[in-house]
Amino acid sequence: ANFIIGLTGGIGSGKTTVANIFAELGITLVDADIVAREVVQQGSIGLNNIVQHFGEQVLLADGSLNRARLREIIFQDASQRLWLNSLLHPMIRETMLAQCKEAQSDYVIMVVPLLFENGLDSLVDRTLLVDISPELQQQRTVARDAVTAEQVKNIIGSQASRAEKLSKADDVIDNQGEISALKCKVQALHNLYLSLANNS
Ligand code: ATP
């Protein structure tokens, strides 16, 4: 497919829930979180580069990446963090674009939590924001994960503001209602995206 929709939204907004409805309609998903793991899986160029740079200390006994150790290193050293990002970000971008190109559906949904924050909106043809209030983000994330409201609040604070994302997105899905109400909204967007994709 060569028509790409960038799906984004803050923590706990409902990106996965919305993406799964598009998938049920036959649309291929390309997920930034999954690609970020693929580029450092065992045997990958990404993991080899990381081991060359940081040494075997960043490997677990089974040869896979020790994420906790790597996180610790880059947390303590901003220059190492920059090094790692400049290695991985281009690999993640290229892999996502390659997966989009291979996809057989009429258009592709690229799911990217930090789409605007990381400037990945420049890679897509159109952006779709899943929008809920910060209060609901907190409530739903605390119900889903073993985290405190305070921790969720800090993550929300580290992401682009609701207003900024609303001003940048081409399309917005309000996910403050019931999950059952989402299907209709996704179907309407699906129809729009099919016509945009087929006229592009
Ligand atoms: P993250 O970026 O944090 O992984 P996400 O944006 O992918 O989150 P989801 O995992 O889809 O969000 O949704 C967050 C939680 O809220 C999940 O437990 C999900 O089942 C629930 N949820 C999603 N939409 C609704 C809704 N409309 N009403 C009630 N609960 C919802």
Side-chain angles (χ1 to χ4, degrees), residues 2-200:
N2 54 19
F3 195 74
I4 308 174
I5 307 294
L7 174 64
T8 193
I11 180 169
S13 57
K15 294 177 292 296
T16 308
T17 307
V18 168
N20 288 341
I21 303 174
F22 279 105
E24 283 170 24
L25 295 169
I27 297 306
T28 303
L29 308 179
V30 172
D31 187 315
D33 289 340
I34 293 174
V35 171
R37 286 195 290 272
E38 285 175 355
V39 298
V40 293
Q41 72 197 3
Q42 283 193 59
S44 65
I45 297 168
L47 184 57
N48 285 340
N49 275 289
I50 289 169
V51 174
Q52 286 219 349
H53 186 82
F54 293 107
E56 308 258 331
Q57 60 160 334
V58 293
L59 290 180
L60 293 169
D62 69 357
S64 66
L65 180 62
N66 185 340
R67 291 167 184 287
R69 182 79 192 99
L70 186 60
R71 220 177 297 125
E72 202 177 7
I73 294 171
I74 64 170
F75 183 74
Q76 289 169 0
D77 188 338
S79 68
Q80 299 301 348
R81 180 194 202 74
L82 283 177
W83 181 87
L84 188 68
N85 285 346
S86 64
L87 171 73
L88 296 180
H89 283 184
M91 295 180 78
I92 294 168
R93 265 200 303 277
E94 279 165 34
T95 307
M96 285 198 298
L97 286 176
Q99 290 184 3
C100 286
K101 208 165 182 185
E102 278 167 27
Q104 295 300 306
S105 53
D106 288 295
Y107 64 91
V108 190
I109 299 277
M110 194 190 265
V111 187
V112 189
L114 300 177
L115 184 77
F116 296 122
E117 291 87 340
N118 288 338
L120 292 172
D121 50 328
S122 66
L123 295 184
V124 304
D125 297 291
R126 202 170 170 96
T127 56
L128 170 57
L129 174 69
V130 185
D131 176 64
I132 64 175
S133 68
E135 292 73 27
L136 267 181
Q137 281 183 276
Q138 245 183 50
Q139 203 175 302
R140 289 181 186 168
T141 307
V142 167
R144 183 191 59 183
D145 302 336
V147 293
T148 65
E150 193 60 27
Q151 286 170 316
V152 181
K153 209 174 161 190
N154 288 336
I155 293 171
I156 293 172
S158 74
Q159 301 181 337
S161 71
R162 184 182 190 185
E164 187 176 356
K165 285 184 281 207
L166 280 169
S167 76
K168 288 187 171 173
D170 296 309
D171 304 309
V172 178
I173 285 195
D174 179 346
N175 185 28
Q176 301 185 109
E178 303 275 314
I179 289 188
S180 57
L182 279 179
K183 294 213 171 161
C184 264
K185 297 178 186 176
V186 171
Q187 180 68 57
L189 285 167
H190 176 62
N191 295 342
L192 170 66
Y193 296 157
L194 283 177
S195 73
L196 289 173
N198 293 322
N199 290 313
S200 74

